[in-house]
Amino acid sequence: MATACGKEANTPGLRIVEENMEGNGFKSLVDTADARRNGWVEAVEEIGVFSATRGLETSIGVLKEGEGKYYIDYTPTEDFVAWFPCANMETTESADSVRIGDKAGTNAVYDDGKVRVEFPMVAFGNASSENLVFRHVTGALAFTLENNGSVDFPISKVQFEASKNGSPFGLWPDYWEGDGLVCRQDGNGNLVVESRVSNSIVSYNVTDAEDYGMQVLRPGQTVRVYFPIPVTENTDFKVTVKEGEDHGDGSWDDKVNGIQVTKYIRNITIQRNHILNLPKFQIQ
């Protein structure tokens, strides 16, 4: 397994390059004051790699080369496929494709307003590759959540439910059903994502990045959130923000009889590598 041990910052392995989401260009660490600024979180984020001879190599840590420049300590020796987040890989048996499963991602919110988002991404390379060119598997929805009430609002989760013509519409991979978003390249090197999905509902956490606990919105406070959404056309969404109850041991769940803020958005089209910004959600 490739590791970061003994790697000097001035002699990087594969440098990380990523495409920017259209609308608000970024990948993982979102600077809400400058949406074009990208960032990775060194020693927190990990990448998985598969090649035929070396097999599956997981938990390869992201390292920082310089301001805004990142790499992994990995020297390719043959064709390979890489993915982020590491845990999102469902299965792969070759370096030509990888199946991404849903692992219910998280938005980690920092005190300075930055947000760490785990958008699923894949990259393909060969023995001569010097860069790890990541491309987004999904699009995204983004909105600002504002507490207009007079008391604190702990966020348990944000839930998305997809439908078409009034019936549930499978949009997300179901981990237990073996579904997934199969990612490969066509003959011109373009990313192709084939959807094998059955789940119409998915939930995401919004956590406090400083203590990994539940994010609490104070009265008058806002938080910016971003969620990966698979490609779809003319789809309806029910979006619900649920109030949580913290158990004090690092775990929480939906509060019994808690507040639920629900909005319906109709006829939505999500493109790969594009962010759709929704109107502000307000908690009264």
Side-chain angles (χ1 to χ4, degrees):
M1 177 180 296
T3 67
C5 298
K7 189 68 178 179
E8 298 296 329
N10 60 350
T11 56
L14 282 174
R15 289 177 175 163
I16 296 174
V17 180
E18 75 220 48
E19 63 178 353
N20 292 337
M21 281 243 189
E22 297 294 332
N24 278 338
F26 56 78
K27 194 288 305 176
S28 178
L29 183 64
V30 182
D31 187 345
T32 53
D34 183 1
R36 297 167 299 175
R37 182 173 180 174
N38 299 334
W40 294 71
V41 183
E42 182 183 15
V44 172
E45 295 179 329
E46 296 178 334
I47 290 168
V49 177
F50 177 88
S51 63
T53 303
R54 295 161 64 168
L56 184 64
E57 302 180 66
T58 61
S59 304
I60 302 176
V62 172
L63 303 172
K64 192 169 186 177
E65 176 188 358
E67 185 62 33
K69 298 180 180 180
Y70 299 86
Y71 70 97
I72 63 170
D73 184 7
Y74 182 86
T75 302
T77 56
E78 57 189 325
D79 290 352
F80 67 92
V81 58
W83 59 91
F84 171 87
C86 183
N88 270 42
M89 189 276 293
E90 177 67 21
T91 184
T92 184
E93 297 179 353
S94 75
D96 297 326
S97 68
V98 60
R99 181 156 58 94
I100 302 296
D102 170 45
K103 296 294 192 297
T106 296
N107 281 243
V109 182
Y110 293 84
D111 288 343
D112 60 3
K114 292 185 176 65
V115 185
R116 180 164 56 86
V117 188
E118 295 184 337
F119 287 132
M121 302 170 69
V122 296
F124 296 88
N126 53 50
S128 61
S129 295
E130 296 181 355
N131 296 319
L132 198 60
V133 183
F134 274 108
R135 287 174 286 183
H136 291 283
V137 174
T138 69
L141 290 177
F143 60 88
T144 297
L145 183 61
E146 180 178 39
N147 185 357
N148 275 359
S150 58
V151 298
D152 293 350
F153 183 83
I155 305 172
S156 172
K157 64 172 70 80
V158 178
Q159 179 177 288
F160 294 85
E161 183 172 354
S163 64
K164 283 192 177 184
N165 301 318
S167 299
F169 178 71
L171 188 60
W172 286 271
D174 189 319
Y175 176 77
W176 301 110
E177 296 296 327
D179 297 336
L181 302 172
V182 180
C183 306
R184 61 178 178 82
Q185 293 186 113
D186 65 15
N188 296 318
N190 300 311
L191 178 64
V192 176
V193 181
E194 299 173 345
S195 179
R196 303 175 187 172
V197 300
S198 62
N199 193 18
S200 63
I201 302 175
V202 70
S203 296
Y204 296 98
N205 292 329
V206 181
T207 66
D208 185 328
E210 310 300 331
D211 62 10
Y212 301 101
M214 182 167 50
Q215 176 70 22
V216 178
L217 273 182
R218 313 297 181 191
Q221 187 179 15
T222 63
V223 64
R224 186 73 175 166
V225 290
Y226 303 83
F227 302 101
I229 304 292
V231 171
T232 188
E233 292 184 1
N234 308 121
T235 304
D236 298 330
F237 286 88
K238 176 184 177 182
V239 185
T240 306
V241 182
K242 299 186 177 183
E243 183 179 12
E245 183 174 16
D246 196 333
H247 300 300
D249 59 358
S251 66
W252 66 87
D253 53 24
D254 299 345
K255 185 177 181 180
V256 177
N257 299 321
I259 297 173
Q260 295 191 27
V261 181
T262 300
K263 286 187 178 292
Y264 294 88
I265 51 178
R266 310 291 186 184
N267 198 31
I268 293 298
T269 294
I270 304 293
Q271 302 178 63
R272 191 193 70 79
N273 195 37
H274 284 68
I275 295 174
L276 182 61
N277 290 283
L278 302 179
K280 184 181 293 184
F281 281 28
Q282 294 183 329
I283 300 169
Q284 301 293 337

